[in-house]
Amino acid sequence: MSSEFVRYTPEIETIDPQIDELLAQIIGFWEKKARESPRREGTGRAVRGAHAKSFGVVKAEVEILADVPAAYAQGIYAKPGHHGALIRFSSTSGHLGTDAQLGAGLGFAIKIFDVDGRKLVDDEPDSGTFDLVLKNCPIFISNTAKHYLFIEDIVNNAQDYLTRGKPGLHELLSDVLTGKGQLDRQEWAWDELFALVRTTQTPVRNPLLTTFWTMGAVRHGDYVAKIRVAPKAESATHVIHRDLDLTSGPEVFHPTLADELQARAFDFDLQVQLCTDINAMPVNDLTVEWPEKLSPFVTVGRVHLPRQDISGPENFEKGDALAFNQWRVTSDHRPLGEIMKVRRIYSASAKVRRTLNHQPQSEPTSADSVLP
């Protein structure tokens, strides 16, 4: 393992010169999806374009540890202390349905309170909240905004392909590879196709036994990093539900979380992986997993979930009003690369959703203000 960490410079990113035009098209896609969701999802309410189904919002506490090595103790991780937090566990799908229909993809979005510093979001940059938006896969399914635009459309309509069995699956894979026949052969999305196939092989796991990653790289003060949360070994030994069968009923993940958290508290390790080789650990290619043999994850904090009851319907209502964004961070933790820039626009669909649902456009001030 190298001890030489790659230093952050703005030049580390590669951004398409046509990014503004592409972002406008992507925003249009997500806003249209939000406006159509009350009818398409059958609830009469607008739902999130991604992570549409919640499995529960959980009150938590984030502890930033002392005595962390200097290269890792950067930005918000440089000051030991405790912060209130909220975690939203969810499906990664942009649709509603049974857990078996939506699959094994899980999201872990955490909102940390009382974090000083101006945030990089357009709305409420002076709020005291700091967001991490993580998934249970270390890679993402596109590397460029151009590929993202058609891949998200294909994934959004995946069920229409799959209802036609094997021919539909073959058409889906062909459309991803060729951009629905619009890409020149040298632009075919091979990396994205392999990443998509890999994500479909994600095993079904209890959310509390699951590791979650940022997928994309972020600035880490002087350096470049990826972030993850991993179940703390001692907590993992006490879980009730070790094996989940998504066909056992329409709802599996939410009852599992509710059972576990009613029984006992649970802890995750908050960890940082620093970049040591910009070629083997690229910033701009999110389909590449950074090798841990080049740079291991180092624990910089703990995420503590106390015992609590998340079983009631009011939990979903309160979670529905929350918004999480990778860019609700300070400049020391700026998301890096073209796809992370694309993901900034999720706030556009959040505005449409909240407007349609008559929900306030404001950040909570504490975990207790959401879950007393």
Side-chain angles (χ1 to χ4, degrees):
M1 181 192 75
S2 171
S3 61
E4 294 296 322
F5 300 122
V6 173
R7 293 214 164 237
Y8 167 76
T9 65
E11 294 75 26
I12 208 166
E13 299 179 87
T14 301
I15 306 295
D16 191 312
Q18 297 180 308
I19 189 65
D20 290 341
E21 177 184 340
L22 292 165
L23 287 178
Q25 295 178 61
I26 293 168
I27 289 172
F29 167 82
W30 284 107
E31 290 182 335
K32 180 174 183 288
K33 189 173 188 296
R35 287 192 296 268
E36 293 177 346
S37 65
R39 174 189 55 81
R40 179 163 182 171
E41 303 303 328
T43 65
R45 291 176 60 80
V47 303
R48 284 174 167 83
H51 304 274
K53 183 176 181 179
S54 174
F55 300 133
V57 176
V58 177
K59 186 183 289 189
E61 180 183 75
V62 173
E63 178 189 6
I64 306 301
L65 300 178
D67 300 322
V68 173
Y72 295 86
Q74 302 276 317
I76 69 166
Y77 308 108
K79 184 179 179 181
H82 294 78
H83 300 263
L86 292 169
I87 298 168
R88 181 180 187 263
F89 289 93
S90 66
S91 166
T92 56
S93 172
H95 298 292
L96 302 178
T98 67
D99 290 354
Q101 289 171 327
L102 301 180
L106 300 177
F108 180 109
I110 182 166
K111 189 176 294 293
I112 307 172
F113 293 92
D114 299 320
V115 175
D116 295 332
R118 190 171 179 84
K119 310 308 186 298
L120 300 179
V121 289
D122 296 327
D123 296 331
E124 298 188 84
D126 296 318
S127 70
T129 50
F130 183 106
D131 291 353
L132 292 172
V133 182
L134 316 174
K135 292 185 182 180
N136 64 332
C137 187
I139 60 171
F140 193 59
I141 58 173
S142 57
N143 289 325
T144 68
K146 184 175 182 179
H147 285 169
Y148 177 99
L149 189 57
F150 68 80
I151 289 174
E152 284 297 324
D153 182 53
I154 293 168
V155 171
N156 185 51
N157 294 290
Q159 196 57 39
D160 296 338
Y161 286 92
L162 300 179
T163 54
R164 293 185 281 112
K166 186 179 289 187
L169 173 61
H170 290 169
E171 183 180 351
L172 184 153
L173 296 176
S174 176
D175 281 354
V176 169
L177 177 63
T178 67
K180 295 185 175 180
Q182 299 302 306
L183 295 178
D184 294 334
R185 183 179 290 269
Q186 64 268 24
E187 293 182 308
W188 280 5
W190 287 107
D191 292 337
E192 285 82 355
L193 179 62
F194 295 144
L196 178 62
V197 170
R198 177 176 172 180
T199 62
T200 64
Q201 298 171 338
T202 300
V204 175
R205 285 202 178 100
N206 181 328
L208 297 184
L209 293 177
T210 299
T211 299
F212 299 89
W213 292 262
T214 53
M215 301 178 293
V218 297
R219 181 177 179 180
H220 191 72
D222 294 331
Y223 305 105
V224 177
K226 290 189 177 184
I227 312 297
R228 77 177 185 187
V229 295
K232 192 167 176 58
E234 183 179 353
S235 290
T237 61
H238 298 295
V239 298
I240 302 168
H241 302 281
R242 296 221 156 259
D243 299 304
L244 301 187
D245 178 4
L246 296 190
T247 66
S248 63
E251 308 297 328
V252 177
F253 288 121
H254 169 65
T256 296
L257 270 175
D259 283 353
E260 300 285 4
L261 292 175
Q262 281 182 322
R264 61 180 53 83
F266 195 91
D267 291 311
F268 286 88
D269 288 327
L270 175 59
Q271 302 179 318
V272 171
Q273 181 186 31
L274 292 179
C275 180
T276 58
D277 182 335
I278 200 63
N279 294 312
M281 307 171 75
V283 164
N284 299 292
D285 294 341
L286 273 68
T287 58
V288 176
E289 181 176 3
W290 285 8
E292 289 188 54
K293 66 181 180 180
L294 294 182
S295 180
F297 280 91
V298 172
T299 298
V300 298
R302 302 268 189 263
V303 182
H304 176 70
L305 285 58
R307 285 184 62 187
Q308 57 195 287
D309 183 1
I310 64 166
S311 61
E314 69 280 357
N315 184 274
F316 295 112
E317 295 169 9
K318 292 175 179 179
D320 188 55
L322 297 172
F324 298 88
N325 192 298
Q326 292 91 341
W327 286 78
R328 189 173 285 116
V329 294
T330 57
S331 59
D332 276 342
H333 303 282
R334 181 181 182 275
L336 301 176
E338 187 167 302
I339 287 298
M340 293 296 265
K341 188 176 183 70
V342 166
R343 296 174 77 195
R344 183 171 190 164
I345 57 84
Y346 290 165
S347 59
S349 64
K351 288 180 183 178
V352 173
R353 173 175 62 85
R354 286 175 150 184
T355 299
L356 292 173
N357 292 342
H358 306 290
Q359 292 167 326
Q361 308 281 322
S362 61
E363 276 292 281
T365 56
S366 69
D368 288 340
S369 70
V370 178
L371 298 177

